[in-house]
Amino acid sequence: MLERPPRADLGDYSTNAALLLAPVVGAPPREVAERLGKELERALGASIERFEVAGPGFLNLFLADPWIAGSLAEMLAAGESFGADGADAPERIVVEFVSANPTGPMHVGHARNAAYGDALARLLILHGHEVTREFYVNDAGSQVRKLGESIRSLARGEEVARDGYRGEYVEQLVARLADASTMEPVELGRAAVAVMMDQIEASLNEFRVSFDLWTYESKLHEGDPSPVAHTLAILERLGHTYRSEGALWLRTTDYGDDKDRVLVRSNGEHTYFASDIAYHQDKRERRFDRQIDVWGADHHGYVERMKAAYAALGGDPENLELLIMQLVHLMRSGERAQMSKRAGEFVTLDDLLTEVGVDAARWYLLARSHETTVDLDLDLAREQSSENPVYYVQYAHARIAAVLAKAGEERVGAALAGVADGSRAPLHAAERALVKQLLAFPEEVEEAVERRAPHRITAYALLLAQDFTAFYRDCRVVGAEPEAVESLRIALCVATQRTIARCLDLLGVSAPAEM
């Protein structure tokens, strides 16, 4: 393993190779580490300043300043490709996320799902994959009829059923839909869904989230044969279905599920599971190498049955990733915040954006792993100070823009050309630390992609901004002498600004030039 030690006095890189090699070569680990260090000195020449053997046999490597400066020149030369296209085997991937129930507005839970799915798609694309963003609209089934019944009841001045839909948005639908009092519930529900989908798409666009495809569940039941009928026929042909008590069942227990699942009820109605299986089969037939579904916390029990169905269709369950998002709690003054609740019993995405803005909302919803609950501090999210991480990172970007503007376009161009030889030495400790942090970016992207963890980019961006702040405090940039020092520092500012901007873009957060 080659890793970056936690402290500068332990070197620029450290490896445990000698500990693994010692039993093979039949020598003590520290002796093997010494031999390995000398061989690296011979191979790397002037690029390595020295090495140290530490502990039971760890080898710590200290790289020379010219190598550090040369690395800065290389990352600047890479331009937009720095940290990009790292995938060994690029795939065609469909990321299906949000897929909110179209019977109501987007709420804060959907917002986390949206921010996560969008940031993951951005990371996958940067890493070299071909990505399709897809929204699955559950516009079939009883909830559409219940929405229609609720709207019709309100339009007639009647009481809404106990299991019906309520809230200001339902009253607005009554006003939007002509003839609401006379339409049949299913027809009225579908008309309401169309209105809600327009609002959902508008809210997502405001949140900087867009989709390549909007797939409607109702379409899975249309055609001859329909996608659902087609999929059930495949499962029957493969011998994975059977009939019992008048219903059609899928033998999901053959693939690790705890019990078999109903596909068609005894009254002839298809279950939601049947539609979901057909949807995943449709994506398989569209020749995606990998399917990633981003689901809400209430879908945890659905994972095993879906993977079982995918395997029954002949798919590799490893190529179906079902990622479960955890809940979001809004906090104000240390307590749970209720906000306006004007849409009923939930806080809408629009409410959140009005309260804290797009940048803060996306940052805070992405700052923790999707596997953990988020407590979004509304007071901190609005604060314009170094205590607010998104403001801190954006301010670092804006500060660099001011430095480069002061230097002038011509001087910046000359600095970038002059840093190419990478020969300036010695480096200030803050310069070294900042270059080393920049060099970590490609690895952070790879880790974030492999672990499906956009939150790593928020953590990295904050560390990079902190290292830049220390560099800016300790190292004069414009006007530094001699000229070679100024050139390297201007070039270092350019590289840092580019990388901060790339991080913010991956998160869907703006990178302002002034604040």
Side-chain angles (χ1 to χ4, degrees), residues 1-3 5 10-11 13-19 29-30 32-40 48 50-62:
M1 192 163 63
L2 187 68
E3 60 184 354
L10 297 177
Y13 293 94
S14 179
T15 180
N16 62 346
L19 295 167
R30 288 184 61 89
V32 175
E34 186 74 27
R35 288 165 57 187
L36 181 58
K38 289 179 179 178
E39 179 60 24
L40 285 171
I48 187 169
R50 71 183 192 279
F51 71 86
E52 292 178 356
V53 177
F58 290 101
L59 181 63
N60 297 335
L61 307 175
F62 296 79

PDB file of all heavy atoms in Angstrom, residues 1-3 5 10-11 13-19 29-30 32-40 48 50-62:
ATOM      1  N   MET A   1       0.847  -1.182   0.000  1.00  0.00           N
ATOM      2  CA  MET A   1       0.000   0.000   0.000  1.00  0.00           C
ATOM      3  C   MET A   1       0.890   1.242   0.000  1.00  0.00           C
ATOM      4  O   MET A   1       1.873   1.321   0.729  1.00  0.00           O
ATOM      5  CB  MET A   1      -0.903  -0.014   1.239  1.00  0.00           C
ATOM      6  CG  MET A   1      -2.025   0.987   1.221  1.00  0.00           C
ATOM      7  SD  MET A   1      -3.288   0.569   2.459  1.00  0.00           S
ATOM      8  CE  MET A   1      -2.341   0.724   3.985  1.00  0.00           C
ATOM      9  N   LEU A   2       0.538   2.195  -0.860  1.00  0.00           N
ATOM     10  CA  LEU A   2       1.228   3.480  -0.894  1.00  0.00           C
ATOM     11  C   LEU A   2       0.213   4.530  -0.464  1.00  0.00           C
ATOM     12  O   LEU A   2      -0.842   4.678  -1.094  1.00  0.00           O
ATOM     13  CB  LEU A   2       1.737   3.783  -2.304  1.00  0.00           C
ATOM     14  CG  LEU A   2       2.629   5.024  -2.456  1.00  0.00           C
ATOM     15  CD1 LEU A   2       3.968   4.803  -1.765  1.00  0.00           C
ATOM     16  CD2 LEU A   2       2.851   5.345  -3.930  1.00  0.00           C
ATOM     17  N   GLU A   3       0.509   5.250   0.616  1.00  0.00           N
ATOM     18  CA  GLU A   3      -0.463   6.203   1.146  1.00  0.00           C
ATOM     19  C   GLU A   3       0.221   7.488   1.583  1.00  0.00           C
ATOM     20  O   GLU A   3       1.447   7.538   1.734  1.00  0.00           O
ATOM     21  CB  GLU A   3      -1.221   5.584   2.320  1.00  0.00           C
ATOM     22  CG  GLU A   3      -0.329   5.178   3.479  1.00  0.00           C
ATOM     23  CD  GLU A   3      -1.104   4.478   4.577  1.00  0.00           C
ATOM     24  OE1 GLU A   3      -2.337   4.410   4.480  1.00  0.00           O
ATOM     25  OE2 GLU A   3      -0.464   3.990   5.523  1.00  0.00           O
ATOM     26  N   PRO A   5       0.949   9.965   4.478  1.00  0.00           N
ATOM     27  CA  PRO A   5       0.918   9.957   5.943  1.00  0.00           C
ATOM     28  C   PRO A   5       0.116  11.139   6.478  1.00  0.00           C
ATOM     29  O   PRO A   5      -0.040  12.160   5.799  1.00  0.00           O
ATOM     30  CB  PRO A   5       2.397  10.088   6.329  1.00  0.00           C
ATOM     31  CG  PRO A   5       3.164   9.683   5.112  1.00  0.00           C
ATOM     32  CD  PRO A   5       2.316  10.100   3.958  1.00  0.00           C
ATOM     33  N   LEU A  10       6.324  12.682   8.558  1.00  0.00           N
ATOM     34  CA  LEU A  10       6.386  11.250   8.229  1.00  0.00           C
ATOM     35  C   LEU A  10       6.605  11.026   6.739  1.00  0.00           C
ATOM     36  O   LEU A  10       6.539   9.894   6.259  1.00  0.00           O
ATOM     37  CB  LEU A  10       5.094  10.559   8.671  1.00  0.00           C
ATOM     38  CG  LEU A  10       4.810  10.568  10.177  1.00  0.00           C
ATOM     39  CD1 LEU A  10       3.471   9.927  10.473  1.00  0.00           C
ATOM     40  CD2 LEU A  10       5.930   9.860  10.933  1.00  0.00           C
ATOM     41  N   GLY A  11       6.859  12.110   6.007  1.00  0.00           N
ATOM     42  CA  GLY A  11       7.159  11.972   4.577  1.00  0.00           C
ATOM     43  C   GLY A  11       5.972  12.352   3.706  1.00  0.00           C
ATOM     44  O   GLY A  11       4.882  12.677   4.183  1.00  0.00           O
ATOM     45  N   TYR A  13       5.003  10.233   1.128  1.00  0.00           N
ATOM     46  CA  TYR A  13       4.322   8.954   0.913  1.00  0.00           C
ATOM     47  C   TYR A  13       4.922   7.927   1.863  1.00  0.00           C
ATOM     48  O   TYR A  13       6.083   8.030   2.275  1.00  0.00           O
ATOM     49  CB  TYR A  13       4.481   8.469  -0.535  1.00  0.00           C
ATOM     50  CG  TYR A  13       3.774   9.325  -1.541  1.00  0.00           C
ATOM     51  CD1 TYR A  13       4.441  10.349  -2.200  1.00  0.00           C
ATOM     52  CD2 TYR A  13       2.420   9.120  -1.836  1.00  0.00           C
ATOM     53  CE1 TYR A  13       3.795  11.162  -3.116  1.00  0.00           C
ATOM     54  CE2 TYR A  13       1.761   9.918  -2.755  1.00  0.00           C
ATOM     55  CZ  TYR A  13       2.460  10.939  -3.396  1.00  0.00           C
ATOM     56  OH  TYR A  13       1.799  11.736  -4.302  1.00  0.00           O
ATOM     57  N   SER A  14       4.134   6.920   2.183  1.00  0.00           N
ATOM     58  CA  SER A  14       4.592   5.844   3.051  1.00  0.00           C
ATOM     59  C   SER A  14       4.096   4.519   2.487  1.00  0.00           C
ATOM     60  O   SER A  14       3.008   4.457   1.910  1.00  0.00           O
ATOM     61  CB  SER A  14       4.064   6.045   4.469  1.00  0.00           C
ATOM     62  OG  SER A  14       4.486   4.981   5.312  1.00  0.00           O
ATOM     63  N   THR A  15       4.899   3.462   2.650  1.00  0.00           N
ATOM     64  CA  THR A  15       4.488   2.148   2.147  1.00  0.00           C
ATOM     65  C   THR A  15       4.808   1.050   3.152  1.00  0.00           C
ATOM     66  O   THR A  15       5.791   1.129   3.894  1.00  0.00           O
ATOM     67  CB  THR A  15       5.172   1.828   0.806  1.00  0.00           C
ATOM     68  OG1 THR A  15       4.738   0.534   0.359  1.00  0.00           O
ATOM     69  CG2 THR A  15       6.686   1.846   0.907  1.00  0.00           C
ATOM     70  N   ASN A  16       3.970   0.039   3.166  1.00  0.00           N
ATOM     71  CA  ASN A  16       4.175  -1.143   4.020  1.00  0.00           C
ATOM     72  C   ASN A  16       4.771  -2.299   3.227  1.00  0.00           C
ATOM     73  O   ASN A  16       4.755  -3.446   3.686  1.00  0.00           O
ATOM     74  CB  ASN A  16       2.850  -1.580   4.641  1.00  0.00           C
ATOM     75  CG  ASN A  16       1.824  -2.004   3.587  1.00  0.00           C
ATOM     76  OD1 ASN A  16       1.997  -1.736   2.399  1.00  0.00           O
ATOM     77  ND2 ASN A  16       0.761  -2.665   4.015  1.00  0.00           N
ATOM     78  N   ALA A  17       5.303  -2.001   2.036  1.00  0.00           N
ATOM     79  CA  ALA A  17       5.774  -3.063   1.138  1.00  0.00           C
ATOM     80  C   ALA A  17       6.801  -3.978   1.798  1.00  0.00           C
ATOM     81  O   ALA A  17       6.779  -5.195   1.605  1.00  0.00           O
ATOM     82  CB  ALA A  17       6.366  -2.437  -0.132  1.00  0.00           C
ATOM     83  N   ALA A  18       7.709  -3.409   2.586  1.00  0.00           N
ATOM     84  CA  ALA A  18       8.762  -4.224   3.205  1.00  0.00           C
ATOM     85  C   ALA A  18       8.182  -5.257   4.163  1.00  0.00           C
ATOM     86  O   ALA A  18       8.697  -6.377   4.277  1.00  0.00           O
ATOM     87  CB  ALA A  18       9.756  -3.326   3.929  1.00  0.00           C
ATOM     88  N   LEU A  19       7.113  -4.907   4.859  1.00  0.00           N
ATOM     89  CA  LEU A  19       6.484  -5.842   5.788  1.00  0.00           C
ATOM     90  C   LEU A  19       5.918  -7.047   5.048  1.00  0.00           C
ATOM     91  O   LEU A  19       5.904  -8.163   5.571  1.00  0.00           O
ATOM     92  CB  LEU A  19       5.370  -5.130   6.559  1.00  0.00           C
ATOM     93  CG  LEU A  19       5.819  -4.002   7.504  1.00  0.00           C
ATOM     94  CD1 LEU A  19       4.619  -3.176   7.956  1.00  0.00           C
ATOM     95  CD2 LEU A  19       6.558  -4.576   8.708  1.00  0.00           C
ATOM     96  N   PRO A  29      12.008  -7.145   8.277  1.00  0.00           N
ATOM     97  CA  PRO A  29      11.315  -6.075   7.546  1.00  0.00           C
ATOM     98  C   PRO A  29      12.094  -4.770   7.466  1.00  0.00           C
ATOM     99  O   PRO A  29      12.111  -4.126   6.417  1.00  0.00           O
ATOM    100  CB  PRO A  29      10.009  -5.902   8.332  1.00  0.00           C
ATOM    101  CG  PRO A  29       9.771  -7.223   8.975  1.00  0.00           C
ATOM    102  CD  PRO A  29      11.135  -7.744   9.316  1.00  0.00           C
ATOM    103  N   ARG A  30      12.755  -4.368   8.551  1.00  0.00           N
ATOM    104  CA  ARG A  30      13.499  -3.104   8.515  1.00  0.00           C
ATOM    105  C   ARG A  30      14.670  -3.184   7.541  1.00  0.00           C
ATOM    106  O   ARG A  30      15.001  -2.205   6.861  1.00  0.00           O
ATOM    107  CB  ARG A  30      13.986  -2.715   9.917  1.00  0.00           C
ATOM    108  CG  ARG A  30      12.859  -2.239  10.848  1.00  0.00           C
ATOM    109  CD  ARG A  30      13.413  -1.768  12.198  1.00  0.00           C
ATOM    110  NE  ARG A  30      14.319  -0.651  12.055  1.00  0.00           N
ATOM    111  CZ  ARG A  30      13.933   0.637  12.059  1.00  0.00           C
ATOM    112  NH1 ARG A  30      12.645   0.943  12.200  1.00  0.00           N
ATOM    113  NH2 ARG A  30      14.822   1.598  11.938  1.00  0.00           N
ATOM    114  N   VAL A  32      14.703  -5.088   4.841  1.00  0.00           N
ATOM    115  CA  VAL A  32      14.085  -5.047   3.507  1.00  0.00           C
ATOM    116  C   VAL A  32      13.699  -3.612   3.159  1.00  0.00           C
ATOM    117  O   VAL A  32      13.880  -3.160   2.023  1.00  0.00           O
ATOM    118  CB  VAL A  32      12.855  -5.967   3.449  1.00  0.00           C
ATOM    119  CG1 VAL A  32      12.140  -5.834   2.099  1.00  0.00           C
ATOM    120  CG2 VAL A  32      13.264  -7.417   3.690  1.00  0.00           C
ATOM    121  N   ALA A  33      13.183  -2.861   4.138  1.00  0.00           N
ATOM    122  CA  ALA A  33      12.797  -1.470   3.905  1.00  0.00           C
ATOM    123  C   ALA A  33      14.013  -0.630   3.528  1.00  0.00           C
ATOM    124  O   ALA A  33      13.938   0.236   2.634  1.00  0.00           O
ATOM    125  CB  ALA A  33      12.118  -0.896   5.143  1.00  0.00           C
ATOM    126  N   GLU A  34      15.136  -0.867   4.189  1.00  0.00           N
ATOM    127  CA  GLU A  34      16.371  -0.130   3.863  1.00  0.00           C
ATOM    128  C   GLU A  34      16.815  -0.439   2.436  1.00  0.00           C
ATOM    129  O   GLU A  34      17.183   0.478   1.681  1.00  0.00           O
ATOM    130  CB  GLU A  34      17.461  -0.524   4.863  1.00  0.00           C
ATOM    131  CG  GLU A  34      18.748   0.263   4.729  1.00  0.00           C
ATOM    132  CD  GLU A  34      18.634   1.688   5.251  1.00  0.00           C
ATOM    133  OE1 GLU A  34      17.795   1.926   6.141  1.00  0.00           O
ATOM    134  OE2 GLU A  34      19.383   2.556   4.763  1.00  0.00           O
ATOM    135  N   ARG A  35      16.788  -1.709   2.057  1.00  0.00           N
ATOM    136  CA  ARG A  35      17.176  -2.095   0.693  1.00  0.00           C
ATOM    137  C   ARG A  35      16.217  -1.483  -0.331  1.00  0.00           C
ATOM    138  O   ARG A  35      16.640  -0.996  -1.388  1.00  0.00           O
ATOM    139  CB  ARG A  35      17.177  -3.617   0.575  1.00  0.00           C
ATOM    140  CG  ARG A  35      18.333  -4.288   1.324  1.00  0.00           C
ATOM    141  CD  ARG A  35      18.100  -5.780   1.488  1.00  0.00           C
ATOM    142  NE  ARG A  35      17.895  -6.462   0.215  1.00  0.00           N
ATOM    143  CZ  ARG A  35      17.547  -7.746   0.114  1.00  0.00           C
ATOM    144  NH1 ARG A  35      17.362  -8.463   1.216  1.00  0.00           N
ATOM    145  NH2 ARG A  35      17.388  -8.305  -1.067  1.00  0.00           N
ATOM    146  N   LEU A  36      14.920  -1.504  -0.008  1.00  0.00           N
ATOM    147  CA  LEU A  36      13.916  -0.953  -0.913  1.00  0.00           C
ATOM    148  C   LEU A  36      14.107   0.555  -1.077  1.00  0.00           C
ATOM    149  O   LEU A  36      14.007   1.102  -2.184  1.00  0.00           O
ATOM    150  CB  LEU A  36      12.515  -1.253  -0.380  1.00  0.00           C
ATOM    151  CG  LEU A  36      11.323  -0.779  -1.220  1.00  0.00           C
ATOM    152  CD1 LEU A  36      11.365  -1.360  -2.621  1.00  0.00           C
ATOM    153  CD2 LEU A  36      10.015  -1.138  -0.535  1.00  0.00           C
ATOM    154  N   GLY A  37      14.398   1.244   0.046  1.00  0.00           N
ATOM    155  CA  GLY A  37      14.631   2.684  -0.011  1.00  0.00           C
ATOM    156  C   GLY A  37      15.812   3.028  -0.899  1.00  0.00           C
ATOM    157  O   GLY A  37      15.750   3.977  -1.698  1.00  0.00           O
ATOM    158  N   LYS A  38      16.908   2.285  -0.780  1.00  0.00           N
ATOM    159  CA  LYS A  38      18.098   2.554  -1.605  1.00  0.00           C
ATOM    160  C   LYS A  38      17.811   2.296  -3.077  1.00  0.00           C
ATOM    161  O   LYS A  38      18.304   3.015  -3.960  1.00  0.00           O
ATOM    162  CB  LYS A  38      19.266   1.697  -1.119  1.00  0.00           C
ATOM    163  CG  LYS A  38      19.808   2.145   0.239  1.00  0.00           C
ATOM    164  CD  LYS A  38      20.959   1.269   0.704  1.00  0.00           C
ATOM    165  CE  LYS A  38      21.499   1.773   2.054  1.00  0.00           C
ATOM    166  NZ  LYS A  38      22.589   0.919   2.561  1.00  0.00           N
ATOM    167  N   GLU A  39      17.025   1.279  -3.359  1.00  0.00           N
ATOM    168  CA  GLU A  39      16.675   0.990  -4.754  1.00  0.00           C
ATOM    169  C   GLU A  39      15.796   2.113  -5.333  1.00  0.00           C
ATOM    170  O   GLU A  39      15.949   2.494  -6.493  1.00  0.00           O
ATOM    171  CB  GLU A  39      15.950  -0.348  -4.844  1.00  0.00           C
ATOM    172  CG  GLU A  39      15.517  -0.763  -6.244  1.00  0.00           C
ATOM    173  CD  GLU A  39      16.691  -0.911  -7.216  1.00  0.00           C
ATOM    174  OE1 GLU A  39      17.837  -1.140  -6.761  1.00  0.00           O
ATOM    175  OE2 GLU A  39      16.467  -0.789  -8.440  1.00  0.00           O
ATOM    176  N   LEU A  40      14.885   2.633  -4.491  1.00  0.00           N
ATOM    177  CA  LEU A  40      14.048   3.748  -4.942  1.00  0.00           C
ATOM    178  C   LEU A  40      14.892   4.999  -5.167  1.00  0.00           C
ATOM    179  O   LEU A  40      14.633   5.773  -6.100  1.00  0.00           O
ATOM    180  CB  LEU A  40      12.940   4.024  -3.929  1.00  0.00           C
ATOM    181  CG  LEU A  40      11.789   3.009  -3.921  1.00  0.00           C
ATOM    182  CD1 LEU A  40      10.868   3.242  -2.733  1.00  0.00           C
ATOM    183  CD2 LEU A  40      10.982   3.108  -5.216  1.00  0.00           C
ATOM    184  N   ILE A  48      13.695  12.139  -5.450  1.00  0.00           N
ATOM    185  CA  ILE A  48      13.528  11.796  -4.036  1.00  0.00           C
ATOM    186  C   ILE A  48      14.629  12.459  -3.226  1.00  0.00           C
ATOM    187  O   ILE A  48      15.806  12.432  -3.580  1.00  0.00           O
ATOM    188  CB  ILE A  48      13.525  10.263  -3.839  1.00  0.00           C
ATOM    189  CG1 ILE A  48      13.175   9.910  -2.393  1.00  0.00           C
ATOM    190  CG2 ILE A  48      14.832   9.631  -4.256  1.00  0.00           C
ATOM    191  CD1 ILE A  48      12.883   8.432  -2.190  1.00  0.00           C
ATOM    192  N   ARG A  50      15.009  12.011   0.317  1.00  0.00           N
ATOM    193  CA  ARG A  50      15.546  11.017   1.242  1.00  0.00           C
ATOM    194  C   ARG A  50      14.440  10.025   1.590  1.00  0.00           C
ATOM    195  O   ARG A  50      13.282  10.214   1.204  1.00  0.00           O
ATOM    196  CB  ARG A  50      16.070  11.674   2.523  1.00  0.00           C
ATOM    197  CG  ARG A  50      15.002  12.223   3.446  1.00  0.00           C
ATOM    198  CD  ARG A  50      15.624  12.914   4.660  1.00  0.00           C
ATOM    199  NE  ARG A  50      14.647  13.198   5.701  1.00  0.00           N
ATOM    200  CZ  ARG A  50      13.818  14.233   5.703  1.00  0.00           C
ATOM    201  NH1 ARG A  50      13.847  15.091   4.688  1.00  0.00           N
ATOM    202  NH2 ARG A  50      12.969  14.412   6.695  1.00  0.00           N
ATOM    203  N   PHE A  51      14.814   8.979   2.309  1.00  0.00           N
ATOM    204  CA  PHE A  51      13.815   8.047   2.836  1.00  0.00           C
ATOM    205  C   PHE A  51      14.162   7.733   4.280  1.00  0.00           C
ATOM    206  O   PHE A  51      15.299   7.904   4.717  1.00  0.00           O
ATOM    207  CB  PHE A  51      13.756   6.767   1.993  1.00  0.00           C
ATOM    208  CG  PHE A  51      14.961   5.872   2.132  1.00  0.00           C
ATOM    209  CD1 PHE A  51      15.038   4.921   3.151  1.00  0.00           C
ATOM    210  CD2 PHE A  51      16.027   5.960   1.244  1.00  0.00           C
ATOM    211  CE1 PHE A  51      16.147   4.100   3.291  1.00  0.00           C
ATOM    212  CE2 PHE A  51      17.138   5.146   1.373  1.00  0.00           C
ATOM    213  CZ  PHE A  51      17.205   4.218   2.392  1.00  0.00           C
ATOM    214  N   GLU A  52      13.175   7.274   5.019  1.00  0.00           N
ATOM    215  CA  GLU A  52      13.377   6.865   6.401  1.00  0.00           C
ATOM    216  C   GLU A  52      12.659   5.549   6.642  1.00  0.00           C
ATOM    217  O   GLU A  52      11.553   5.328   6.125  1.00  0.00           O
ATOM    218  CB  GLU A  52      12.830   7.923   7.374  1.00  0.00           C
ATOM    219  CG  GLU A  52      13.587   9.227   7.376  1.00  0.00           C
ATOM    220  CD  GLU A  52      12.974  10.247   8.328  1.00  0.00           C
ATOM    221  OE1 GLU A  52      11.904   9.925   8.922  1.00  0.00           O
ATOM    222  OE2 GLU A  52      13.533  11.346   8.470  1.00  0.00           O
ATOM    223  N   VAL A  53      13.269   4.674   7.422  1.00  0.00           N
ATOM    224  CA  VAL A  53      12.624   3.440   7.847  1.00  0.00           C
ATOM    225  C   VAL A  53      12.027   3.693   9.228  1.00  0.00           C
ATOM    226  O   VAL A  53      12.717   4.174  10.138  1.00  0.00           O
ATOM    227  CB  VAL A  53      13.616   2.269   7.891  1.00  0.00           C
ATOM    228  CG1 VAL A  53      12.931   1.011   8.407  1.00  0.00           C
ATOM    229  CG2 VAL A  53      14.213   2.031   6.511  1.00  0.00           C
ATOM    230  N   ALA A  54      10.762   3.399   9.387  1.00  0.00           N
ATOM    231  CA  ALA A  54      10.065   3.708  10.637  1.00  0.00           C
ATOM    232  C   ALA A  54       9.378   2.469  11.185  1.00  0.00           C
ATOM    233  O   ALA A  54       8.958   1.585  10.436  1.00  0.00           O
ATOM    234  CB  ALA A  54       9.036   4.809  10.409  1.00  0.00           C
ATOM    235  N   GLY A  55       9.263   2.426  12.530  1.00  0.00           N
ATOM    236  CA  GLY A  55       8.516   1.359  13.185  1.00  0.00           C
ATOM    237  C   GLY A  55       9.026  -0.018  12.827  1.00  0.00           C
ATOM    238  O   GLY A  55      10.233  -0.241  12.701  1.00  0.00           O
ATOM    239  N   PRO A  56       8.141  -0.970  12.618  1.00  0.00           N
ATOM    240  CA  PRO A  56       8.556  -2.352  12.341  1.00  0.00           C
ATOM    241  C   PRO A  56       9.081  -2.561  10.921  1.00  0.00           C
ATOM    242  O   PRO A  56       9.561  -3.646  10.616  1.00  0.00           O
ATOM    243  CB  PRO A  56       7.262  -3.143  12.561  1.00  0.00           C
ATOM    244  CG  PRO A  56       6.175  -2.168  12.226  1.00  0.00           C
ATOM    245  CD  PRO A  56       6.677  -0.833  12.710  1.00  0.00           C
ATOM    246  N   GLY A  57       8.957  -1.544  10.062  1.00  0.00           N
ATOM    247  CA  GLY A  57       9.444  -1.711   8.697  1.00  0.00           C
ATOM    248  C   GLY A  57       8.719  -0.863   7.671  1.00  0.00           C
ATOM    249  O   GLY A  57       8.755  -1.169   6.473  1.00  0.00           O
ATOM    250  N   PHE A  58       8.075   0.198   8.116  1.00  0.00           N
ATOM    251  CA  PHE A  58       7.445   1.116   7.161  1.00  0.00           C
ATOM    252  C   PHE A  58       8.523   1.960   6.491  1.00  0.00           C
ATOM    253  O   PHE A  58       9.516   2.336   7.122  1.00  0.00           O
ATOM    254  CB  PHE A  58       6.433   2.026   7.868  1.00  0.00           C
ATOM    255  CG  PHE A  58       5.210   1.305   8.342  1.00  0.00           C
ATOM    256  CD1 PHE A  58       5.072   0.952   9.681  1.00  0.00           C
ATOM    257  CD2 PHE A  58       4.199   0.972   7.453  1.00  0.00           C
ATOM    258  CE1 PHE A  58       3.949   0.280  10.128  1.00  0.00           C
ATOM    259  CE2 PHE A  58       3.063   0.295   7.890  1.00  0.00           C
ATOM    260  CZ  PHE A  58       2.939  -0.057   9.228  1.00  0.00           C
ATOM    261  N   LEU A  59       8.296   2.266   5.229  1.00  0.00           N
ATOM    262  CA  LEU A  59       9.240   3.078   4.468  1.00  0.00           C
ATOM    263  C   LEU A  59       8.574   4.411   4.146  1.00  0.00           C
ATOM    264  O   LEU A  59       7.558   4.462   3.455  1.00  0.00           O
ATOM    265  CB  LEU A  59       9.633   2.362   3.168  1.00  0.00           C
ATOM    266  CG  LEU A  59      10.638   3.096   2.269  1.00  0.00           C
ATOM    267  CD1 LEU A  59      11.970   3.279   2.992  1.00  0.00           C
ATOM    268  CD2 LEU A  59      10.838   2.330   0.967  1.00  0.00           C
ATOM    269  N   ASN A  60       9.147   5.504   4.672  1.00  0.00           N
ATOM    270  CA  ASN A  60       8.635   6.846   4.435  1.00  0.00           C
ATOM    271  C   ASN A  60       9.498   7.547   3.389  1.00  0.00           C
ATOM    272  O   ASN A  60      10.724   7.578   3.519  1.00  0.00           O
ATOM    273  CB  ASN A  60       8.622   7.658   5.734  1.00  0.00           C
ATOM    274  CG  ASN A  60       7.693   7.077   6.776  1.00  0.00           C
ATOM    275  OD1 ASN A  60       6.732   6.376   6.444  1.00  0.00           O
ATOM    276  ND2 ASN A  60       7.970   7.339   8.045  1.00  0.00           N
ATOM    277  N   LEU A  61       8.841   8.096   2.386  1.00  0.00           N
ATOM    278  CA  LEU A  61       9.548   8.736   1.270  1.00  0.00           C
ATOM    279  C   LEU A  61       9.347  10.243   1.311  1.00  0.00           C
ATOM    280  O   LEU A  61       8.217  10.725   1.446  1.00  0.00           O
ATOM    281  CB  LEU A  61       9.023   8.195  -0.064  1.00  0.00           C
ATOM    282  CG  LEU A  61       9.027   6.670  -0.225  1.00  0.00           C
ATOM    283  CD1 LEU A  61       8.367   6.273  -1.537  1.00  0.00           C
ATOM    284  CD2 LEU A  61      10.448   6.129  -0.141  1.00  0.00           C
ATOM    285  N   PHE A  62      10.447  10.975   1.194  1.00  0.00           N
ATOM    286  CA  PHE A  62      10.421  12.435   1.157  1.00  0.00           C
ATOM    287  C   PHE A  62      10.837  12.872  -0.246  1.00  0.00           C
ATOM    288  O   PHE A  62      11.982  12.654  -0.663  1.00  0.00           O
ATOM    289  CB  PHE A  62      11.374  13.015   2.197  1.00  0.00           C
ATOM    290  CG  PHE A  62      11.001  12.698   3.618  1.00  0.00           C
ATOM    291  CD1 PHE A  62      11.291  11.449   4.169  1.00  0.00           C
ATOM    292  CD2 PHE A  62      10.350  13.642   4.401  1.00  0.00           C
ATOM    293  CE1 PHE A  62      10.950  11.154   5.484  1.00  0.00           C
ATOM    294  CE2 PHE A  62      10.002  13.347   5.719  1.00  0.00           C
ATOM    295  CZ  PHE A  62      10.287  12.101   6.258  1.00  0.00           C
TER     296      PHE A  62
END
